[in-house]
Amino acid sequence: MKKSVYLLFMIISSLALAQSPKPEKVKYVIIKQKVCPNQKGFQLVLKAIATDSRCPEGVTCIWAGEVSAVILVYKDSKLIEEATLVFLMKNEEYNKKWFSNYLPEKQKKIKSIVVVPYPKEGSKINPEEYYMRIGYLK
């Protein structure tokens, strides 16, 4: 009886371990408001945050809000595009596809796009503090 209970325990534990997903390795690209001169290839620059209506931390809101950001795309240090992207759930796939057009091949599996800092109740964000963090699967 002890042997059968032990065998059953071993089978269940091996199945449980076999089912655990591998942790995803997420790396990040930061998009700031500065242009790096003489950079080869594509470079993304956050020109400005046009609007930020996200619900501040510490406040209960009916609507989560959205962020509109103006992104500049440089290729070999020459401006080739200026785009205004709106960040909310229904635009998530479009935004991921747009960014993947300009990121290197190893960074195209985008997991998340976040505008930082997140608003807090009672404090105002200095426009120069904004940046974007793009998480991608390694």
Side-chain angles (χ1 to χ4, degrees):
M1 181 71 176
K2 286 184 178 180
K3 287 183 181 180
S4 60
V5 171
Y6 179 72
L7 181 62
L8 182 63
F9 176 73
M10 291 299 291
I11 291 172
I12 291 173
S13 63
S14 66
L15 289 174
L17 291 174
Q19 298 298 322
S20 61
K22 293 181 181 178
E24 296 178 325
K25 293 187 179 183
V26 179
K27 294 235 175 185
Y28 296 95
V29 173
I30 304 296
I31 299 175
K32 297 182 179 182
Q33 298 184 37
K34 296 181 181 178
V35 179
C36 295
N38 301 324
Q39 183 173 333
K40 295 290 181 190
F42 290 110
Q43 181 181 8
L44 298 169
V45 177
L46 176 62
K47 180 179 180 183
I49 297 297
T51 61
D52 186 355
S53 65
R54 296 176 290 178
C55 183
E57 290 179 359
V59 176
T60 304
C61 299
I62 296 171
W63 185 54
E66 65 185 33
V67 178
S68 297
V70 180
I71 311 292
L72 303 176
V73 180
Y74 290 87
K75 184 171 184 185
D76 299 331
S77 299
K78 292 187 172 113
L79 180 64
I80 62 167
E81 184 177 352
E82 180 175 322
T84 301
L85 300 177
V86 178
F87 296 92
L88 67 157
M89 281 306 258
K90 73 176 185 176
N91 293 1
E92 186 176 20
E93 286 305 312
Y94 173 81
N95 292 337
K96 286 179 180 178
K97 286 179 185 177
W98 188 89
F99 278 104
S100 69
N101 290 330
Y102 303 109
L103 293 172
E105 194 63 38
K106 65 180 182 176
Q107 299 173 350
K108 289 187 184 279
K109 293 181 184 175
I110 298 173
K111 180 98 172 140
S112 63
I113 304 169
V114 180
V115 177
V116 182
Y118 197 85
K120 294 182 181 175
E121 182 183 14
S123 65
K124 186 171 169 77
I125 299 172
N126 182 345
E128 295 171 0
E129 293 176 358
Y130 281 107
Y131 65 94
M132 298 182 73
R133 187 176 64 219
I134 299 175
Y136 63 93
L137 297 176
K138 186 176 178 184

